[in-house]
Amino acid sequence: MSSVIASARFSVLDRSRVREGHTTAQALRDTVALAREAESLGFHRFWVSEHHGVPGVAGSAPTVLAAAVAGATRTIRVGTGGVMLPNHRPLVVAEQFGVLESLFPGRIDMGLGRSVGFTDGVRRALGRDKDDADDFAAQLGELLGWFRGTSPTGVHAYPAEGLTVPPFVLAMGEGAAIAARAGLPLVIGDLRNRERMRHGIDTYRALFRPSPWASEPYVVVSGTVAVAASPEEARRLLLPEAWSMAYSRTHGTFPPLPPAEAVETRTMTAKERGFYESGLTGHIAGTEEQVTDELESLLKETGAQEVLVTTSTYDRTALLDSHRRLAGIVHR
């Protein structure tokens, strides 16, 4: 195995994607089951995500789901990728992570994003609008202050105050600069736009200021990694998510994942087909040998210390096989 792969950490994020013909409850149980497998395979972290009002995603309460994952595992780090800070009051977020860290000491990560709701309706339901993302830097500072007991309100966040829960910023573009100025680790995606990713990483490293949370830049690159016995099988893993993304871009709603064989027979408009074909490109997908070469190139190109694998597909058996094959590459 290459030294660059051997020196990197590899982690898993699961979006609790709903599958056609399956319930949202099953999607959440699938996430917890996958976390157990990720732990047994030696992955470093297992993260869950936050989505609201999305038919195809069951994970709407990431700190609740993280608690279930941490309770079902023993050693793997558990966290959020991420809690969307503009949707919440920083005090409440601090309290939630304080509870998680108190129950599972030394295992909790606090991944934070700056996105607001997927649609205008969701944003209204959350009592937010697009402009709330502009306050992310201030919200982030307030949140970290609750852990350090520096709030000017005189209020204390129990049990968070005095605890150290590693914060990460999920970002592209402007968010990279916010992470750098706050002195926090950066999680950046996606692999399909390498030039934009590299620019974000360069910005982050150039502007980074050491902080009590991180003394030097720490970069996590995130994206889809699919490993299978053949390139064709690896590509099939990508089909359900690519179709769902194309559908969301043309219909405004993100549907449950269909089986790959159903995608292959579906008729699409020219616009849908364009989004679909685009959604299949730029990922790391192939055999063990191909993926090893691509990961090596990615890590050398970005200088990242960690890869967060965000693969979603309909076939959970094939997904687990992909993670097993990836673990085989990483621990070879």
Side-chain angles (χ1 to χ4, degrees):
M1 180 180 59
S2 75
S3 60
V4 69
I5 292 177
S7 62
R9 290 167 166 164
F10 285 80
S11 301
V12 174
L13 179 143
D14 193 62
R15 291 194 180 90
S16 305
R17 295 288 277 110
V18 182
R19 297 178 289 158
E20 283 187 2
H22 297 262
T23 64
T24 52
Q26 184 62 52
L28 295 169
R29 287 193 289 267
D30 286 343
T31 292
V32 175
L34 185 62
R36 290 195 190 101
E37 294 288 352
E39 179 175 74
S40 72
L41 292 170
F43 286 100
H44 184 62
R45 312 178 204 275
F46 189 92
W47 281 7
V48 297
S49 63
E50 174 181 336
H51 297 272
H52 299 282
V54 181
V57 184
S60 56
T63 53
V64 177
L65 185 52
V69 168
T73 54
R74 292 187 308 107
T75 56
I76 195 168
R77 297 196 64 86
V78 175
T80 55
V83 165
M84 296 301 140
L85 197 50
N87 292 339
H88 310 279
R89 293 302 307 163
L91 169 62
V92 176
V93 175
E95 289 170 337
Q96 289 173 345
F97 279 97
V99 169
L100 283 169
E101 176 65 20
S102 298
L103 292 171
F104 308 102
R107 292 180 55 205
I108 301 301
D109 299 322
M110 184 169 59
L112 305 160
R114 63 191 292 267
S115 297
V116 287
F118 184 61
T119 65
D120 288 339
V122 170
R123 286 189 288 271
R124 282 195 302 273
L126 290 168
R128 298 291 184 266
D129 59 44
K130 286 184 178 179
D131 294 341
D132 286 314
D134 297 337
D135 296 329
F136 180 68
Q139 294 161 347
L140 186 60
E142 181 186 339
L143 172 61
L144 298 180
W146 289 116
F147 286 92
R148 306 192 71 78
T150 57
S151 172
T153 63
V155 176
H156 298 272
Y158 302 120
E161 188 173 311
L163 297 180
T164 300
V165 182
F168 296 74
V169 173
L170 282 64
M172 285 293 277
E174 185 185 341
I178 293 172
R181 285 191 286 266
L184 301 181
L186 174 72
V187 182
I188 189 164
D190 67 35
L191 300 177
R192 291 176 300 168
N193 193 336
R194 300 289 176 89
E195 188 174 340
R196 189 179 178 203
M197 175 186 273
R198 281 197 307 271
H199 177 72
I201 292 171
D202 290 345
T203 297
Y204 169 70
R205 290 202 175 106
L207 298 177
F208 185 86
R209 298 176 189 162
S211 75
W213 305 95
S215 59
E216 56 188 29
Y218 188 90
V219 175
V220 183
V221 290
S222 68
T224 294
V225 180
V227 197
S230 69
E232 295 74 25
E233 286 179 67
R235 187 177 184 276
R236 278 176 65 82
L237 282 167
L238 308 178
L239 301 187
E241 183 82 0
W243 181 86
S244 290
M245 286 294 292
Y247 187 93
S248 74
R249 296 287 296 276
T250 51
H251 294 77
T253 184
F254 205 85
L257 294 176
E261 54 270 21
V263 174
E264 290 169 328
T265 62
R266 284 188 181 173
T267 55
M268 301 182 206
T269 65
K271 190 175 184 181
E272 284 174 330
R273 178 67 62 179
F275 284 130
Y276 172 69
E277 295 293 345
S278 173
L280 290 171
T281 62
H283 306 292
I284 293 179
T287 63
E288 280 96 328
E289 185 177 358
Q290 291 171 320
V291 168
T292 299
D293 290 343
E294 289 195 53
L295 286 173
E296 193 170 299
S297 296
L298 172 69
L299 290 167
K300 286 178 178 175
E301 183 184 337
T302 61
Q305 289 98 329
E306 187 168 343
V307 178
L308 179 65
V309 179
T310 64
T311 312
S312 295
T313 194
Y314 178 89
D315 187 337
R316 299 294 289 194
T317 301
L319 177 63
L320 178 56
D321 181 65
S322 175
H323 286 322
R324 283 180 178 145
R325 290 174 184 271
L326 177 59
I329 293 170
V330 172
H331 302 303
R332 188 177 294 162

